[in-house]
Every structure is written in structure tokens, then in C-alpha cells.
Amino acid sequence: MLVSMKRILEYAEAHDQAIGAFNVSTLEGLMGTLEAAEELHQPVIIQFAQVHESIISVDVLGPVMVMMAEKSTVPVCVHLDHGEDLDYLKKALDMGFTSIMYDGSVLDFEKNVANTCIAVEMAEAYGASVEAEIGCMGREEFGSVGEEGEAVQSMYTNPEEAREFVARTDVDALACSFGTVHGLYLTQPKLDFGIISSIREKAQIPIVMHGGSGVSAPDFRECIKRGVRKINYYTYAAKAGGEAVKAQCGKEDDVVYFHDVATWGREAMKADVMTAMKVFSGK
Ligand code: 13P
């Protein structure tokens, strides 16, 4: 069933857990993620990142996401990840997305507040939820390895700024920077758990972790304990799919059909998503 992010976050709050927000950029990723959620009886957020337009257009995958969420046996939120312009957010809302992220993190604070307020007003008309971001996570959702040293250059969220931002925008969830980055980590991430507690105490809002791939299970648990309620996750699932295909192709003497490739990828992504969901839900 299709639900708003607010509903899903209330569930997470009530169960002291986080909900996985899995980026989907292929039909196989979408199917694998929903199959994983249904098998584990877990609510889930499926999200499309604007930057993935170069892989597939939201015009193609978006309506399928909404249709499959409506038919699902578990609560599913269809979310737009890292929407950078307001027209694009509106397009997702018109398509039936139940949640949008406005990412104004590269703008100055006042401009980010002003644009986020427009996004909140827009979403309200559709009964949709809004996530925004302050602080900077670095790199885009492509799972690519960045320049040496880039991983440690993220700009952490200032808890006092977070409080003011939430009070002025009335967003439903806040993406914060406390040591995670998008994509593959060059070194083991060192998270600043104190920032999560401090933002939570001051802003009283569900916190969103971006860059979930590569974070250890004990670190996930600590973040959840301190108030992370949505965990964005993409690179490791996509990599699991790619690696399964590579391994399987190496084994096949016979002709390989594309539908075989799609199935190997989907099954491996599903297995990876299930592992992540178990950690996020404390199972
Ligand atoms: P990873 O690709 O590092 O898992 O991050 C995904 C993400 O944060 C999408 O917004």
C-alpha cells in the first residue's frame, strides 16, 4: 500500500528502528527491493534520485514505482531523492510520489530555508512529506569512488542550525551530515554520534542518514539508538547485483541471455537489501 513518509517514520519511531530508503534505478532494483520488504514484512521507502536521470528517466520508472507501491502488501513510500529544482519536485508529486527531498544543501542557509518552505507548501497540497538537508554529504548517488581524501571532507551539520532550520521550514525529516558520504568509502567511516544526539535533542525530528553503504552494523545500531529513522542505501545493493552478474557470466559456457542477467542481478540486490533491512529493523 502506498503511504506517505510521515506515516512510515511514525512506524519507525514507534518501533525504535530505521526504515531503509533504497534508491532504484532499474526495474530489477525496484522488484528486488519490494520483494525483500514483503518477505520480511517491513515497511520500505523506494526512492528515485534526480541524478539517476542519466540511467533512466523518472517519467519511465516513476509511474511503475507508484503502481507497484499501491499493489504491495507492505506500506511503501515513494520518495524523490535529492531533488534539486522545484519543477522536478512538482513533476514527482504529479506522478503520485508521496514524499520529496528538496536538496538545497549547496545553497546558503537563508536560500535553503526559502526554497524548502516552497517545497513544503507544494507537498502539502498533495498530502506528501518533505525531507531537506543541511550540511554536506559529498559525492553523488553513483557509487563511484571519488578523489583521494574526498571522503573525509564532508561538512558536518551544525545542531543549532538544524534546530532553526526545522522550526522555520516544518519539514518531516532532516538529512544530516555526521561522517557518512555517498558511494564507496576509501577508508572505514568514522561517525560523530554526538552530532546525531545533539540534533535530535534540539530539533526533535527524524534524522536521515545518507550514504548507508559501507557503514558497519554496530554503527548503524548506534545511529538508530540516537535518532536516525531513515537510512538511504544504494551503492552496495547495486554493486552486489553487478558482482553477481560478473561471477555468473564467468561460469557460463552457454550463451547468456539478457533476461538471465536481469534475474541474477535482481536476486543479488534483493539479498543485499534484505541483509540491510534486518540490521535497520533490529531483526
Ligand atoms: P550509498 O549509495 O552510499 O548507499 O548512499 C545512498 C544515498 O545516500 C542516496 O541518497
Side-chain angles (χ1 to χ4, degrees):
M1 115 215 28
L2 179 64
V3 299
S4 70
M5 184 165 70
K6 205 174 162 153
R7 273 271 300 279
I8 289 225
L9 293 175
E10 281 163 6
Y11 176 98
E13 236 19 290
H15 292 80
D16 282 327
Q17 68 168 81
I19 303 294
F22 300 94
N23 290 85
V24 295
S25 59
T26 58
L27 186 57
E28 288 68 34
L30 171 58
M31 290 168 76
T33 302
L34 289 178
E35 284 167 13
E38 289 180 354
E39 238 164 83
L40 293 176
H41 306 290
Q42 274 295 308
V44 68
I45 299 166
I46 46 173
Q47 53 187 16
F48 184 89
Q50 187 172 349
V51 72
H52 285 163
E53 276 290 328
S54 59
I55 302 173
I56 188 168
S57 171
V58 73
D59 291 329
V60 176
L61 200 56
V64 184
M65 291 167 74
V66 173
M67 180 270 288
M68 288 180 72
E70 278 166 348
K71 290 195 171 150
S72 178
T73 55
V74 293
V76 182
C77 162
V78 180
H79 175 76
L80 181 78
D81 188 32
H82 291 286
E84 287 160 19
D85 50 85
L86 296 165
D87 286 349
Y88 197 84
L89 298 183
K90 176 147 188 336
K91 179 160 138 158
L93 291 168
D94 283 337
M95 243 173 227
F97 279 43
T98 52
S99 180
I100 49 172
M101 175 192 188
Y102 173 68
D103 181 358
S105 60
V106 295
L107 304 175
D108 69 45
F109 185 80
E110 288 302 326
K111 187 75 187 149
N112 191 2
V113 167
N115 284 0
T116 303
C117 284
I118 298 172
V120 169
E121 204 182 311
M122 215 158 74
E124 223 165 54
Y126 295 80
S129 317
V130 178
E131 172 185 341
E133 172 174 336
I134 54 170
C136 185
M137 248 79 67
R139 286 195 257 145
E140 294 184 323
E141 311 27 62
F142 265 107
S144 55
V145 178
E147 295 290 308
E148 196 72 38
E150 191 189 352
V152 291
Q153 289 174 0
S154 52
M155 255 172 45
Y156 290 179
T157 304
N158 175 320
E160 187 47 40
E161 263 184 24
R163 187 203 57 73
E164 188 187 336
F165 187 87
V166 170
R168 288 175 62 188
T169 59
D170 201 24
V171 288
D172 300 293
L174 188 65
C176 299
S177 174
F178 45 86
T180 59
V181 292
H182 295 117
L184 296 174
Y185 288 93
L186 304 171
T187 54
Q188 185 64 26
K190 264 186 78 78
L191 308 189
D192 188 335
F193 300 114
I195 291 192
I196 305 173
S197 301
S198 177
I199 295 170
R200 181 79 168 171
E201 190 201 324
K202 286 178 190 284
Q204 308 272 322
I205 187 147
I207 295 172
V208 183
M209 174 200 283
H210 282 241
S213 300
V215 174
S216 69
D219 280 1
F220 276 133
R221 287 189 200 103
E222 189 61 33
C223 292
I224 294 166
K225 209 168 89 190
R226 290 169 184 257
V228 166
R229 293 288 172 258
K230 171 177 183 267
I231 298 177
N232 284 17
Y233 187 95
Y234 175 65
T235 301
Y236 269 28
K239 186 164 154 279
E243 277 172 0
V245 167
K246 215 157 83 178
Q248 202 65 34
C249 282
K251 278 197 242 157
E252 298 291 323
D253 289 333
D254 287 341
V255 59
V256 172
Y257 294 100
F258 185 73
H259 56 247
D260 296 324
V261 169
T263 305
W264 298 329
R266 186 180 90 229
E267 281 170 359
M269 287 189 274
K270 174 182 169 185
D272 187 77
V273 165
M274 281 180 94
T275 305
M277 277 181 175
K278 285 181 190 161
V279 177
F280 303 164
S281 62
K283 296 225 161 88

